[in-house]
Amino acid sequence: MKRTPTNDQDLYRTHNPSTNDKIGFRELIAIDFFLLGVKGTDTTVPFFYEFAGNAAWLMPLFIFLFILPFVLLVSRLLARFEGKNLLIISEHLIGRPLTYLAAWVLFLLGMAATVLNTRSYTQMTGIMFYGRTPLIFLYAVILLATAYVAYRGLETIGRVASLLLPYALFSIVLAFLGVYDIIDYRAIFPLFGQGWSVLPKTVTHLGFVVDIFYFALFAGLLKSGSRTYQNATLIGTAMAGIGAMGLIFMYTGVFGYPAVNQVLFHYQQLTRIAHYGQFINHIEAAFLGTWILATVVHFAIYIYTMVYLLHYLVRAKDMFRLFVPIVAAIFFAGLYPYRSEKLFFTYREWIVWALTATVYPYLLLLVLLSRTKGGKKRARKKTAYT
Amino acid sequence: MLAKKQLTLKLFFPLLLLVFLSGCWDKIELEDIALVTAIGLDKGSIPGRVDVTLQIMNAQKAMISQGNATDKEPDHINITLRNTTPVLVKDQANAVITRRINISQVQAFLIGEELAREEDLYNVIAAMIRDPEMRRETPVIITKERAETFIDRNRPKFETLIYAFYRFKFNRWKETGDVPLSSVNDYLRAHADQAPYLFIYATTERKKTKAKGKGDDTTAGHMEIEGGDPVEMIGAALVKEGKMIGTLTGEETRFALLLAQNLRIATYYLAFPDPDDKPWMISTRLKNETPPTIEVDLKGKRPRITVTVPLYVEVLSIPSGVDYVADITLQKKLAQYLEQTMQRKFADLVEKAQHTWKADIFNWYRFVRSRFLTWQAYEAYDFPKRFPEADVSIRVQLQMVDFGKQMRPQDKLPPFKKENR
């Protein structure tokens, strides 16, 4: 007999018997911060510079305005079907076959993105800090650490994230203090950078922040359900956006525009420059510590999401057995040689396009259908924090 | 069952160790590395190649000596590799150096003037910075002679460990502004902005100079100083479009930095001939606590730039004995005189920048930028091209602050003064 995921509580093996296996407001804020804020330190930044020129630091704000209605719509959708996750809602609204199709697309694109990103973070670490360690080995170690955190389950990820959040915020502030004296804030002018041409490019690349909608998959595991989703996502995304804005402002101020276009690994190069007074300098290793932990949390969420999707697709009894194949697949796919950084950016852009083209219409479709097809009307008013 | 579990655990722990030990792949023993303090670059005899000089510090000397075996070793050694590229050097140098070359603690890049004048400096520096070990904030110095010679002769009297020489020297320049603080990062930035850049200018060839009494209004190698360290570091080398095109004197460098709203300079000392009593010099301390305001007007055919420089003056010595302290009219006269002198000096420098060098050494493009809304509009305006014909007016707003910690000059003039005049 095939099991169908109807009740979320069945799906998750209890790892921490003392708790309820749910994550709350604080954890979700931290998770959203690590999903999006870390993107201010990786290969997303060059895209922003390409789109907006010296106004790249305004891009997070711009994107936030774009996804704001989506967050509100999705949380409204979740409120109508309180306690259910996105896939179950989707099955109810568009039927099982179409939901399967959507889940496959989400899974494959998510995998591709995870492969590219893990690989790129490994390369970043390898080139900047571990010159002699083989990339394969570094990749394996980072993936193992990430998979371990992910394997402990959503609650652990949430805890790790919320514990780490103050340190991550502090390290951004610390980086700012370290480069304060060499920032030339005039590099952000002309204020609007590349002008209106940024608009279509932003719309087609909204896939950069699609991660927070992947999190609607775990709506059933949130304390106070959709209210938590909406508020925590908005606050977490805003925090991540402010963090990323601060980071990109620093990159522009320190490296200068257009010179920043030649910089790769902005965050790492920035922390190499950071110094405090005459004698405290060359302390990039201190920043590496926080950053690598943030990276681990970042990818732990990805891997957990991928495992969850695959578990839904193949209807596995125990989703925790799927960790090994997923991590192995990511590892071997990540070994694919790109030969050039340029090609990497091309692939990344394709995936982002595909994510934009599939996830947002899919969500819109669900939201539209939910107005005609059942669910609790005005459910949000009845739900309160418990 | 239990035995099986134990076996699994026994197998698991070595595997766990593997993860933690992985950090050791990149381990470097301090004993195992040769720390490079300065890298010198010179024109090679083959076109496109450079001669690279590495100054390698004897790290063991950094420890407090207790009469051990390193006493007889030199503090640092210099090696020059001819006709190579900066990146290849790390491995090639091991032919004559025992330890692993580490360039992550380099204190300065030294570039010979010959190379700076003839080759594209941008290519040379951009080629170096690609190496992950290199740091972008590393200072860059242009040396009058070959960098190789400079490094060889640079044996400061007090600093046994050569890195301290660069450290302290740059720290001092932050306050005086006689020398611009040039770094790789700032140069790459200026180059991308199509702006000229001022590099530190230094030499070990100290000559007797013909022009007397110039103070810091001279370039490196021409100061009237005897003794001290072999290196004379003053003024700036001007690099435009990747090539060095001229030098600025110490005073010009100060003014250029001041007019560029470069806040790193807080106070500096200047001496003026006494307007009332010519042969004596009045020593003043000028403070630019508030940066100059730079107004840019792009409406007309030519860009108009108005710079207002507020300066706070402390008069520190009045050897002529004219009583500026108490007499208000004399004070006004002095202020007016200082104002005019400063204004003329600024105007001379602007004239030189606009017509001799045709380079925006004041970085005023940074202020032009904020006048535009989009990058395209800014690029279309093409300020670097328009700078030489810009209408620049500089006003000095001078404010007497105090007269040091003495009340008034000598109440009675010493008798020899009036007679010997």
Side-chain angles (χ1 to χ4, degrees):
Chain A
M1 195 191 102
K2 281 182 179 175
R3 270 167 57 114
T4 46
T6 46
N7 182 7
D8 270 341
Q9 289 295 328
D10 287 354
L11 295 178
Y12 307 96
R13 197 170 69 189
T14 308
H15 277 266
N16 303 296
S18 62
T19 57
N20 55 6
D21 272 331
K22 287 193 169 188
I23 61 169
F25 190 64
R26 198 170 53 133
E27 285 86 355
L28 190 55
I29 285 181
I31 284 178
D32 280 335
F33 179 83
F34 284 109
L35 274 177
L36 300 182
V38 179
K39 285 178 196 257
T41 66
D42 69 1
T43 46
T44 317
V45 178
F47 282 102
F48 287 178
Y49 278 112
E50 194 194 317
F51 299 161
N54 53 346
W57 70 290
L58 289 173
M59 281 294 282
L61 178 71
F62 203 49
I63 290 181
F64 180 73
L65 293 181
F66 270 98
I67 59 162
L68 186 64
F70 280 98
V71 174
L72 295 176
L73 284 175
V74 169
S75 48
R76 188 69 58 87
L77 173 73
L78 294 176
R80 276 172 189 265
F81 301 88
E82 196 61 69
K84 303 276 194 299
N85 69 38
L86 196 69
L87 290 173
I88 301 172
I89 299 171
S90 174
E91 277 183 9
H92 176 73
L93 291 176
I94 59 175
R96 190 167 289 172
L98 277 177
T99 305
Y100 264 61
L101 184 69
W104 269 114
V105 172
L106 286 182
F107 173 69
L108 290 176
L109 287 178
M111 277 298 274
T114 311
V115 167
L116 269 188
N117 287 340
T118 45
R119 156 82 182 223
S120 118
Y121 275 63
T122 309
Q123 223 161 11
M124 224 182 280
T125 325
I127 291 174
M128 293 304 290
F129 295 100
Y130 297 96
R132 279 188 284 166
T133 312
L135 223 54
I136 296 180
F137 188 79
L138 209 57
Y139 195 31
V141 170
I142 287 179
L143 271 183
L144 271 180
T146 313
Y148 179 72
V149 174
Y151 181 78
R152 302 296 300 168
L154 196 60
E155 201 184 3
T156 309
I157 298 173
R159 273 189 201 169
V160 172
S162 63
L163 280 176
L164 202 59
L165 183 63
Y167 299 98
L169 293 173
F170 181 66
S171 76
I172 295 180
V173 174
L174 205 64
F176 180 76
L177 292 178
V179 295
Y180 172 74
D181 57 338
I182 45 175
I183 285 182
D184 177 11
Y185 75 94
R186 286 182 181 277
I188 63 168
F189 294 114
L191 198 60
F192 295 117
Q194 299 290 346
W196 285 115
S197 66
V198 75
L199 195 67
K201 283 175 184 165
T202 309
V203 173
T204 49
H205 290 79
L206 280 179
F208 279 130
V209 290
V210 89
D211 325 33
I212 52 171
F213 300 112
Y214 268 71
F215 222 82
L217 297 174
F218 311 114
L221 287 180
L222 300 176
K223 262 188 211 155
S224 326
S226 61
R227 280 292 287 273
T228 309
Y229 180 80
Q230 178 180 323
N231 294 343
T233 305
L234 285 182
I235 293 173
T237 314
M239 271 168 69
I242 291 167
M245 272 172 86
L247 283 169
I248 299 172
F249 174 79
M250 282 190 256
Y251 305 149
T252 317
V254 169
F255 302 122
Y257 187 84
V260 73
N261 287 337
Q262 283 153 6
V263 176
L264 201 59
F265 315 142
H266 299 74
Y267 182 70
Q268 271 68 22
Q269 299 221 29
L270 189 87
T271 57
R272 276 175 83 86
I273 292 180
H275 60 104
Y276 308 90
Q278 193 185 348
F279 294 110
I280 308 175
N281 51 13
H282 301 186
I283 50 161
E284 64 266 21
F287 290 97
L288 173 69
T290 333
W291 180 78
I292 206 93
L293 286 174
T295 306
V296 165
V297 176
H298 181 76
F299 288 121
I301 305 163
Y302 275 80
I303 290 180
Y304 188 83
T305 316
M306 290 307 115
V307 169
Y308 177 78
L309 274 171
L310 187 66
H311 149 261
Y312 170 79
L313 288 167
V314 303
R315 303 185 169 208
K317 271 185 187 163
D318 183 359
M319 75 177 268
F320 288 87
R321 291 195 176 180
L322 294 174
F323 269 97
V324 176
I326 289 274
V327 173
I330 292 173
F331 177 69
F332 287 112
L335 295 184
Y336 173 77
Y338 301 121
R339 292 194 184 83
S340 88
E341 211 51 42
K342 185 82 198 142
L343 211 55
F344 164 80
F345 282 107
T346 316
Y347 292 155
R348 179 98 203 270
E349 192 157 30
W350 287 347
I351 291 172
V352 171
W353 278 335
L355 279 170
T356 318
T358 48
V359 175
Y360 290 95
Y362 172 61
L363 289 175
L364 269 184
L365 179 71
L366 292 186
V367 169
L368 284 177
L369 284 177
S370 73
R371 302 195 84 81
T372 52
K373 266 184 149 183
K376 281 183 274 177
K377 296 250 163 73
R378 304 181 66 78
R380 275 183 63 217
K381 282 206 169 164
K382 287 174 195 161
T383 341
Y385 284 104
T386 46
Chain B
M1 188 63 193
L2 199 68
K4 202 180 170 189
K5 250 188 184 167
Q6 274 175 346
L7 187 72
T8 332
L9 271 179
K10 271 179 192 164
L11 280 174
F12 177 69
F13 276 105
L15 281 172
L16 201 68
L17 270 183
L18 210 66
V19 173
F20 289 119
L21 286 175
S22 63
C24 299
W25 213 306
D26 264 273
K27 87 170 162 64
I28 304 174
E29 295 288 343
L30 210 52
E31 285 283 299
D32 191 38
I33 50 177
L35 291 169
V36 177
T37 317
I39 298 182
L41 298 170
D42 285 305
K43 199 164 176 268
S45 51
I46 301 174
R49 300 281 187 93
V50 286
D51 289 356
V52 183
T53 309
L54 302 179
Q55 184 168 43
I56 295 165
M57 198 177 80
N58 189 351
Q60 282 171 322
K61 288 268 180 171
M63 291 177 279
I64 297 162
S65 171
Q66 290 169 331
N68 52 24
T70 61
D71 272 359
K72 281 173 194 158
E73 291 175 11
D75 302 326
H76 58 258
I77 47 168
N78 308 326
I79 57 164
T80 304
L81 296 95
R82 305 217 181 271
N83 296 321
T84 174
T85 70
V87 180
L88 293 180
V89 163
K90 265 205 285 183
D91 293 342
Q92 287 175 357
N94 274 119
V96 289
I97 295 291
T98 24
R99 303 175 186 198
R100 179 189 300 276
I101 307 280
N102 185 302
I103 52 174
S104 67
Q105 307 292 330
V106 169
Q107 299 295 322
F109 293 130
L110 302 142
I111 295 170
E113 190 175 329
E114 191 192 7
L115 178 74
R117 281 194 189 269
E118 287 169 26
E119 304 268 332
D120 193 341
L121 203 55
Y122 174 74
N123 286 344
V124 173
I125 289 179
M128 279 198 300
I129 207 64
R130 204 166 268 279
D131 191 313
E133 258 186 31
M134 292 280 186
R135 288 172 187 276
R136 292 177 78 95
E137 78 272 25
T138 315
V140 186
I141 303 172
I142 291 188
T143 59
K144 198 173 182 184
E145 61 274 41
R146 281 175 71 83
E148 183 189 339
T149 326
F150 181 94
I151 290 177
D152 202 38
R153 288 192 196 155
N154 182 11
R155 302 221 173 235
K157 301 260 162 69
F158 287 156
E159 317 305 342
T160 313
L161 293 173
I162 194 74
Y163 79 91
F165 167 80
Y166 295 108
R167 268 294 160 86
F168 290 123
K169 205 87 173 162
F170 296 136
N171 220 33
R172 192 67 198 110
W173 294 138
K174 244 182 225 175
E175 288 159 28
T176 66
D178 261 332
V179 156
L181 287 176
S182 50
S183 70
V184 173
N185 186 46
D186 287 352
Y187 173 61
L188 295 178
R189 180 178 173 153
H191 183 86
D193 277 326
Q194 295 177 296
Y197 191 64
L198 299 178
F199 281 102
I200 305 170
Y201 194 53
T203 184
T204 52
E205 287 171 358
R206 296 172 54 183
K207 288 174 193 153
K208 285 259 162 59
T209 172
K210 279 176 200 151
K212 305 252 186 257
K214 286 275 212 170
D216 64 356
D217 195 13
T218 49
T219 50
H222 299 295
M223 281 196 93
E224 288 179 288
I225 301 180
E226 311 283 334
D229 285 339
V231 169
E232 195 173 297
M233 196 183 275
I234 191 163
L238 174 63
V239 170
K240 187 189 167 195
E241 286 158 10
K243 289 220 166 63
M244 180 173 161
I245 57 165
T247 53
L248 274 77
T249 66
E251 199 177 86
E252 285 171 342
T253 310
R254 281 181 168 182
F255 293 153
L257 294 178
L258 171 67
L259 293 180
Q261 224 189 48
N262 202 327
L263 275 173
R264 275 183 267 193
I265 317 154
T267 60
Y268 36 94
Y269 295 86
L270 276 179
F272 296 94
D274 192 324
D276 254 25
D277 217 348
K278 280 278 153 68
W280 301 95
M281 300 291 275
I282 295 180
S283 302
T284 56
R285 177 159 62 196
L286 298 182
K287 286 187 185 171
N288 53 312
E289 279 163 354
T290 40
T293 47
I294 295 161
E295 284 161 36
V296 183
D297 179 12
L298 306 173
K299 288 196 191 87
K301 209 174 169 193
R302 303 189 301 170
R304 281 180 60 84
I305 298 165
T306 318
V307 186
T308 316
V309 191
L311 285 176
Y312 301 92
V313 180
E314 280 179 45
V315 179
L316 294 180
S317 93
I318 316 166
S320 64
V322 180
D323 190 4
Y324 293 110
V325 181
D327 195 332
I328 301 285
T329 37
L330 276 176
Q331 230 180 65
K332 271 188 185 157
K333 201 175 159 196
L334 174 67
Q336 211 177 8
Y337 173 76
L338 291 177
E339 228 170 72
Q340 279 168 0
T341 318
M342 289 301 285
Q343 224 145 335
R344 205 190 58 240
K345 280 173 187 257
F346 284 142
D348 285 351
L349 182 63
V350 171
E351 164 74 22
K352 225 172 167 181
Q354 282 190 312
H355 297 114
T356 314
W357 296 316
K358 294 184 172 34
D360 174 20
I361 56 170
F362 312 103
N363 290 353
W364 283 332
Y365 72 92
R366 288 161 58 226
F367 300 87
V368 174
R369 273 179 156 197
S370 52
R371 299 276 142 182
F372 295 96
L373 281 182
T374 63
W375 185 257
Q376 285 83 353
Y378 167 70
E379 284 220 308
Y381 187 75
D382 201 6
F383 181 73
K385 278 267 159 57
R386 285 176 191 242
F387 171 74
E389 60 201 31
D391 226 344
V392 183
S393 60
I394 294 177
R395 275 183 316 186
V396 177
Q397 277 177 350
L398 207 121
Q399 218 177 326
M400 289 280 184
V401 185
D402 54 60
F403 288 83
K405 64 180 170 50
Q406 301 287 89
M407 246 313 271
R408 47 165 68 200
Q410 301 93 320
D411 272 335
K412 276 181 189 166
L413 296 180
F416 68 90
K417 243 182 171 179
K418 289 261 173 184
E419 288 150 22
N420 290 4
R421 192 154 313 151

